[in-house]
Amino acid sequence: MPVNAARLLWDSADRRPDHPAVVDGARQATHGALRARAEGVASALRADGLRPGERVALLLERGAEAAAAFVGVLAAGGIAVVVNEGLRPRQIDHIVGHAGAARLLTTVELLARQPRPLQGGLHVIDLGEVPAAAEAPLPLHPCRPDAPAQIVYTSGSTGQPKGVAVSHANLLAAAGTVAGYLGLTPEDRLAGLMTLSSVYGMSQLLCTVATGATLVVERATLPRTIVETLRAAEVSVLAAVPPLWLRLLNGGGLREAPLPALRLLTNAGGHLPVEAVRALRQAQPQAALVLMYGLTEVLRSTFLPPEEVDRRPDSIGRAIPGAAVRVVDDDGHPVGPGEVGELVHEGPTVTLGYWADPALTARVYRDGAGGARRVHSGDLVRSDDDGYLYYVSRKDRLIKVMGFRVGPDEVVDALLASGEVHEAEVVGEPDPVWGARIVAHVVLAPHGDLARLKAFAARELPRHMQPARYEVHAALPLLPSGKHDLAALAAAPPGLPSPLV
């Protein structure tokens, strides 16, 4: 039966046409107005000759215009390629070229901010010139459930960004499932802090239109400004990635007083250290905390219900409804509780594969029992006797020191538990004797002390897990997605040698 994920907005506009859909400072767009704008975009694209399945790149600041443009591309039968607005021509050219997008939907103002023109031959459509609405109500283009709706380019935190093809059925399944287990309602006001080019950021938009709720956009990067917006706009659902949670807790004002309207916190996009979990629970005790795990290839994979967070603050939970996850060894055989293995995911949010890369798709996406598609995540986890999962490391991030395989996040958890640092990441570097050595990159707390940090690590960590060198930063570098830029940290020159002895 044909589907189109744009129906989420079409339906919410029918149900609550006058309810705010996107609030952006003093500006707001209702669900009805957002649909009308999306219809205008879809109508303009069709008039421009867009054929079903053609890719349209979107370079727009997140907000109502970007939301309507994304849905409009889907409504017209195109495949949306959302480009992070913080990227520069080199990265934009790569994404647009790799996706094979012939059209770029943007604004002349955004293009003028770029340091040089984009690659030639690209048909640029200025969103400012697109009519505010279609001349007549627009029927959605009928698509197969497995037809691509979007190509998501990964953040590059584990290597070169890759394009992941996401179907209309994937988007509908993810929106319904996540909104369901979070218990979102039309009265919720979700914080829109993340770029729509990321799965997590797009999830906030899709859940908003799926439930008829409101998305409150905040583009400021200063943590205190973000918290002030959360309070003033009476945000009820706050989603963030670990680096942002740490900044909101340390200097953002999140610890100073509860935000009365805030009822739900969610984490995804990386491991949230146990100390940060406990700090969030203490800072905003009225808000439930849901710890989630996902990857671009499956959108969302597991979640830990709020009632389990205090008992299992280091767990990523169990499979989302309708999905199945397994922990397997290198031969694909299940491993027992307490054993480390690779997480494999099945279910309706398993995406189509890597765009224009069949070889990589064949390695990561495999057929399981009954023909079900499985994604081999590359993430190492273990389970407990109750079936709850615990993240260990990326397969390609394990650091082998003195014959031991060290998961970086376990070292980071220990460093943060010292109270001497606000942020930390660890990377490995070659060592001629030990095979590899651990380098800790840290941002000291206001009264933090490097000597005390080293002494704490020496007490709390076995010898093979102790950092061999510490690099102190004013701030850790970030990717456009908001995650820490591990590649930049690994390439940073040595500063404070502390040899492993």
Side-chain angles (χ1 to χ4, degrees):
M1 180 178 178
V3 301
N4 191 308
R7 75 169 173 80
L8 293 173
L9 176 57
W10 262 236
D11 291 348
S12 70
D14 286 341
R15 294 192 308 269
R16 311 191 85 194
D18 300 323
H19 188 69
V22 180
V23 174
D24 186 356
R27 298 169 295 177
Q28 74 171 29
T30 65
H31 284 265
L34 197 66
R35 170 177 165 172
R37 184 60 168 141
E39 287 180 321
V41 171
S43 179
L45 288 172
R46 287 180 179 175
D48 192 62
L50 180 73
R51 296 191 300 271
E54 289 187 329
R55 279 75 67 202
V56 180
L58 294 89
L59 177 64
L60 297 162
E61 286 189 331
R62 67 179 182 274
E65 287 284 88
F70 172 79
V71 178
V73 172
L74 271 55
I79 300 173
V81 183
V82 183
V83 180
N84 188 300
E85 62 268 33
L87 297 182
R88 291 293 178 261
R90 178 181 294 273
Q91 295 82 38
I92 298 171
D93 289 344
H94 168 76
I95 289 172
V96 172
H98 185 270
R103 292 173 178 83
L104 175 66
L105 191 56
T106 185
T107 65
V108 292
E109 293 82 8
L110 271 175
L111 285 183
R113 297 180 199 171
Q114 293 293 334
R116 66 166 174 83
L118 301 181
Q119 63 185 5
L122 188 62
H123 177 37
V124 175
I125 302 174
D126 180 7
L127 189 59
E129 298 296 323
V130 172
E135 293 182 359
L138 189 79
L140 296 175
H141 180 82
C143 301
R144 299 190 325 273
D146 62 349
Q150 181 184 14
I151 303 174
V152 180
Y153 279 82
T154 61
S155 65
S157 58
T158 58
Q160 180 72 17
K162 301 178 287 291
V164 176
V166 183
S167 72
H168 286 269
N170 291 151
L171 292 180
L172 292 170
T177 300
V178 174
Y181 72 68
L182 292 181
L184 301 181
T185 76
E187 304 311 316
D188 273 317
R189 294 168 70 85
L190 288 71
L193 306 182
M194 292 169 285
T195 173
L196 297 181
S197 64
S198 72
V199 165
Y200 201 13
M202 183 58 72
S203 179
Q204 309 313 304
L205 171 62
L206 294 176
C207 285
T208 294
V209 294
T211 58
T214 303
L215 184 71
V216 178
V217 174
E218 176 55 76
R219 297 189 195 87
T221 57
L222 289 175
R224 191 162 293 276
T225 302
I226 294 173
V227 173
E228 289 171 357
T229 297
L230 299 176
R231 186 181 300 279
E234 297 185 317
V235 166
S236 60
V237 181
L238 174 58
V241 293
L244 180 55
W245 281 125
L246 294 175
R247 286 186 285 130
L248 292 173
L249 284 166
N250 302 312
L254 202 61
R255 298 178 192 257
E256 294 176 5
L259 302 176
L262 196 59
R263 72 170 190 87
L264 184 64
L265 312 173
T266 70
N267 175 75
H271 170 71
L272 189 62
V274 170
E275 291 301 311
V277 171
R278 291 173 176 155
L280 281 174
R281 296 286 294 121
Q282 185 175 7
Q284 301 294 324
Q286 84 291 350
L289 174 60
V290 181
L291 302 177
M292 306 189 298
Y293 159 86
L295 61 159
T296 305
E297 291 81 354
V298 300
L299 306 183
R300 184 68 60 234
S301 184
T302 70
F303 80 104
L304 183 70
E307 61 270 19
E308 292 290 339
V309 169
D310 291 337
R311 191 182 335 175
R312 313 172 196 268
D314 53 344
S315 174
I316 59 172
R318 296 190 284 201
I320 62 173
V325 296
R326 296 176 175 82
V327 186
V328 303
D329 61 19
D330 290 341
D331 296 321
H333 301 131
V335 302
E339 296 181 66
V340 174
E342 183 180 13
L343 185 66
V344 175
H345 179 109
E346 293 180 11
T349 62
V350 169
T351 57
L352 301 174
Y354 297 105
W355 185 259
D357 196 337
L360 182 59
T361 299
R363 289 200 299 271
V364 175
Y365 295 75
R366 307 177 198 172
D367 290 334
R373 290 273 279 172
R374 293 178 177 175
V375 163
H376 286 247
S377 67
D379 288 332
L380 298 176
V381 302
R382 60 179 175 80
S383 66
D384 62 20
D385 291 334
D386 297 321
Y388 286 93
L389 299 166
Y390 300 80
Y391 183 82
V392 175
S393 176
R394 287 285 305 169
K395 263 187 171 183
D396 53 12
R397 283 203 67 212
L398 282 178
I399 306 170
K400 191 169 183 180
V401 184
M402 302 166 64
F404 295 92
R405 290 177 171 85
V406 179
D409 288 332
E410 190 173 357
V411 181
V412 169
D413 281 353
L415 298 179
L416 290 172
S418 70
E420 304 293 339
V421 298
H422 274 344
E423 294 185 63
E425 286 288 0
V426 301
V427 297
E429 67 178 14
D431 183 273
V433 177
W434 303 116
R437 41 200 275 140
I438 297 170
V439 181
H441 295 266
V442 302
V443 177
L444 292 175
H447 302 291
D449 180 83
L450 185 59
R452 290 198 301 265
L453 175 63
K454 292 180 178 180
F456 181 89
R459 290 194 308 271
E460 299 294 323
L461 294 171
R463 186 182 178 201
H464 64 274
M465 293 179 67
Q466 294 174 27
R469 191 174 79 248
Y470 291 80
E471 300 286 350
V472 179
H473 303 258
L476 297 183
L478 298 176
L479 292 163
S481 63
K483 299 178 184 179
H484 288 141
D485 190 340
L486 300 176
L489 291 176
L496 295 172
S498 176
L500 180 68
V501 294

